[in-house]
Amino acid sequence: AIAVLLVPFATHFVGGGMLPARTLVAVPIAIWFLAYVGTGAGNPLLRTASAIACAVCLFQTLVVHNTYQAASFFSTRQDFALATVLNERIASLPGFDRKKTYALSIFGLRESTSVYALPRSSTIGRSFFEWDGGNPGRISHYMRAVGFPYYPGAGPARQDTVIREYMDMPVFPAAGSVAIKDAIILVKLSAEPNNRDIQSMRRVGIALP
């Protein structure tokens, strides 16, 4: 029983103190084995203690799963609402042409507003506008998946041509936080630059805040 319990955590020692989250997949098997042994034990006290432990474990499992489901549900709703507003803002920009192909450039990322505790090593409850540091490629594919026009994510070269424009733009949802320049859609989601913005700012010689 001790060996089975320690199996999921053996990687922690082998990996030099790092425990990959995927190794926790083995935890339910260890719990099942211990519950099977404990509830079938000949000692009545051990059976009772094991049954109580199983009930507590099941309750905590339900709490965790329901919490993550709620976090994912509300994050999905928030993402769709944000995508809807962005699509309306883009379509209403002066000079916007639906027949023209635009690239999507993102400055910053959407700050998480979830009231639920979210695991740092997982995408559960995370936003497409937040994960991977506000990746324009991920955001553009998400908007396409939910039915909005597809604007390919701007690459580093195109991002460099418009990075200076963000310096004077307000943060979304303020007026002027969405703009178009040289067939590139600019969206400023936050005041703090993401990793791609920082690299672009360094390439063009903009002092970092």
Side-chain angles (χ1 to χ4, degrees):
I2 293 175
V4 171
L5 181 62
L6 292 178
V7 164
F9 303 99
T11 310
H12 183 73
F13 302 100
V14 178
M18 298 297 294
L19 178 65
R22 66 179 66 90
T23 61
L24 297 179
V25 172
V27 170
I29 299 176
I31 293 176
W32 167 85
F33 179 78
L34 294 175
Y36 176 79
V37 172
T39 55
N43 190 318
L45 292 178
L46 182 56
R47 287 201 306 271
T48 302
S50 298
I52 294 174
C54 288
V56 173
C57 183
L58 288 173
F59 176 76
Q60 290 294 334
T61 300
L62 289 174
V63 170
V64 169
H65 280 282
N66 287 338
T67 298
Y68 288 167
Q69 287 179 0
S72 297
F73 172 79
F74 287 113
S75 177
T76 302
R77 296 291 295 271
Q78 292 174 7
D79 276 357
F80 185 77
L82 178 53
T84 301
V85 174
L86 281 179
N87 184 65
E88 293 176 351
R89 291 280 192 91
I90 293 170
S92 63
L93 289 172
F96 175 77
D97 185 357
R98 292 185 178 274
K99 298 180 180 180
K100 193 173 182 179
T101 301
Y102 295 91
L104 179 65
S105 168
I106 301 293
F107 187 94
L109 69 159
R110 183 198 130 188
E111 299 293 340
S112 177
T113 57
S114 177
V115 298
Y116 300 97
L118 303 176
R120 290 180 296 176
S121 60
S122 173
T123 57
I124 293 176
R126 301 293 181 179
S127 169
F128 280 92
F129 296 88
E130 174 191 15
W131 195 254
D132 196 20
N135 187 336
R138 181 186 293 270
I139 294 172
S140 63
H141 282 293
Y142 165 74
M143 295 185 67
R144 182 183 188 181
V146 296
F148 295 112
Y150 175 60
Y151 307 110
R158 304 195 75 178
Q159 179 76 354
D160 291 350
T161 64
V162 297
I163 191 65
R164 294 184 183 277
E165 301 294 325
Y166 286 112
M167 301 302 104
D168 297 324
M169 290 176 61
V171 176
F172 187 86
S177 58
V178 181
I180 292 180
K181 180 178 175 60
D182 299 331
I184 302 176
I185 299 170
L186 286 70
V187 180
K188 189 170 184 178
L189 291 180
S190 66
E192 297 296 326
N194 58 39
N195 291 333
R196 291 173 181 78
D197 300 326
I198 292 175
Q199 294 173 8
S200 183
M201 293 168 69
R202 287 173 176 168
R203 285 193 295 267
V204 301
I206 299 177
L208 298 175

